[in-house]
Amino acid sequence: MATERHYSVIDKLLLQADSAMRTLLPSSGHSQRPSPAIVRPEHAMDETETRHIAGLMRINHTGEVCAQALYQGQALTAKLPQVRAAMEHAAEEEIDHLVWCEQRIKQLGSHTSILNPLFYGMSFGIGAVAGLISDKVSLGFVAATEHQVCKHLNEHLEQLPAEDEKSRAILEQMRIDEEHHAESALEAGGFRFPAPVKFGMSLMAKVMTKSTYRI
Ligand SMILES: [Fe+2]
Ligand SMILES: [Fe+2]
């Protein structure tokens, strides 16, 4: 018979701190799937192009940091029997995205955003509050966030120079996964957020993209 493990408050805090460290410390995550970039060739690019792509990949990396924080915040507060089942697979794929983006940023000779701890904290808080309200809101938030991420990915795919096959391969696979995460969250009973909430989220996303593109 399966028994449910009970964690003390201290245990929970330690587990959260461990997840936060694994998300925020460079090179500490391990992907389940190899990066789609591995099988694509590297082409020579000039410095301006390389810096621009590194900026775009830094935005995507921070987006994945936010996704981790959102899932971890929800896991702390939501009841989650079905939610956890629906979201566990998605959360694993988000770790792949996080690792792939970080690897690509390094190949481009750049670094992940110094603002990641700040965005991690904000997203964790939002996830925890959404989880407290209800599972429906919590899942709705995942779906709305994934739609926002897909919008960025489309914009970035348009901006990538044709010769950067490696970054393109990563973003294309991420777009497939994120669309799927949004669908699963809605299928699991996620609330479809009204336009004003989505507008607020896209404002926050704008602040994130403008700042992390540079630092
Ligand atoms: Fe992702
Ligand atoms: Fe996702």
Side-chain angles (χ1 to χ4, degrees), residues 51-197:
R51 207 179 311 129
H52 176 54
I53 300 163
L56 297 181
M57 295 309 281
R58 187 157 43 242
I59 294 172
N60 293 315
H61 179 265
T62 301
E64 297 302 325
V65 167
C66 293
Q68 285 303 315
L70 191 65
Y71 286 122
Q72 286 156 17
Q74 285 171 349
L76 186 71
T77 55
K79 332 281 168 298
L80 292 174
Q82 307 96 322
V83 181
R84 186 167 285 140
M87 292 294 104
E88 233 160 41
H89 180 63
E92 270 169 25
E93 291 187 343
E94 305 297 7
I95 295 175
D96 287 353
H97 301 167
L98 189 80
V99 174
W100 300 343
C101 287
E102 188 189 333
Q103 286 169 348
R104 187 62 188 144
I105 293 168
K106 277 194 189 148
Q107 285 168 357
L108 294 163
S110 196
H111 58 87
T112 55
S113 175
I114 57 165
L115 300 172
N116 283 343
L118 177 75
F119 287 111
Y120 184 95
M122 279 164 64
S123 305
F124 185 90
I126 291 170
V129 170
L132 275 179
I133 299 170
S134 78
D135 287 354
K136 227 171 143 52
V137 167
S138 184
L139 287 167
F141 208 84
V142 170
T145 307
E146 297 290 8
H147 287 142
Q148 186 70 50
V149 172
C150 286
K151 232 175 101 186
H152 286 154
L153 290 173
N154 285 332
E155 287 167 14
H156 292 180
L157 280 164
E158 265 175 39
Q159 287 184 46
L160 278 184
E163 59 265 42
D164 189 359
E165 292 188 44
K166 281 187 178 288
S167 302
R168 182 168 299 278
I170 294 172
L171 298 191
E172 278 172 352
Q173 185 57 51
M174 278 169 62
R175 182 170 59 183
I176 293 170
D177 294 343
E178 312 299 17
E179 275 167 4
H180 194 227
H181 299 164
E183 276 164 33
S184 324
L186 290 175
E187 273 168 23
F191 181 65
R192 280 176 200 273
F193 280 1
V197 178

